[in-house]
Amino acid sequence: MTTQNRRQFLKFGLTAAAALPLIATAAKAAGHKTHQIEISGHKFQPNALKMEAGDKVMFVNLDGAPHTATDDNGAFDTGRLNKGEDATIVIEKAGTYSFFCKFHPGMRGQIIAS
Ligand SMILES: [Cu+2]
């Protein structure tokens, strides 16, 4: 993704202190990864992602149609992503997160954080 794209950085379930850039840098130094899920052909790819709690996930929409990645239980929501846009979320707690697209509810994916 290029820097021209609108970038969103969304954090959920964090304290205000944890949202500080310095803390985010410390988390990165501790070895947390950023994973990527592409949205293409009305599918989340990969459709099931295994990762560690504390890792980030960047959703990138490559389709002409707008999409979202919205957790079934409200743990995260990228909001509307138009073509070429991306949004990054942080999964803080281990668990299985099932998500869908608000515009196309048949589009589903899963994040398994351990
Ligand atoms: Cu969609």
Side-chain angles (χ1 to χ4, degrees):
M1 288 299 97
T2 63
T3 52
Q4 294 99 309
N5 291 333
R6 180 171 66 92
R7 300 186 68 90
Q8 296 180 335
F9 189 76
L10 307 173
K11 282 176 173 280
F12 298 90
L14 297 180
T15 65
L20 290 171
L22 283 177
I23 305 294
T25 301
K28 189 174 183 180
H32 290 303
K33 296 178 183 173
T34 298
H35 306 268
Q36 186 166 314
I37 295 179
E38 292 184 355
I39 310 172
S40 177
H42 285 63
K43 290 178 181 169
F44 295 104
Q45 303 180 25
N47 151 280
L49 173 69
K50 288 187 178 179
M51 50 166 269
E52 292 186 10
D55 285 358
K56 296 174 186 173
V57 182
M58 182 171 76
F59 291 92
V60 185
N61 182 17
L62 303 179
D63 276 345
H67 296 296
T68 74
T70 305
D71 180 76
D72 284 355
N73 300 310
F76 60 83
D77 186 354
T78 62
R80 179 189 178 118
L81 296 175
N82 293 316
K83 184 176 185 179
E85 292 182 335
D86 59 78
T88 299
I89 63 158
V90 181
I91 300 291
E92 293 290 342
K93 291 184 182 176
T96 298
Y97 298 82
S98 295
F99 58 90
F100 64 101
C101 171
K102 280 183 177 173
F103 300 114
H104 314 98
M107 290 175 59
R108 300 197 56 85
Q110 231 175 29
I111 293 170
I112 300 120
S114 56

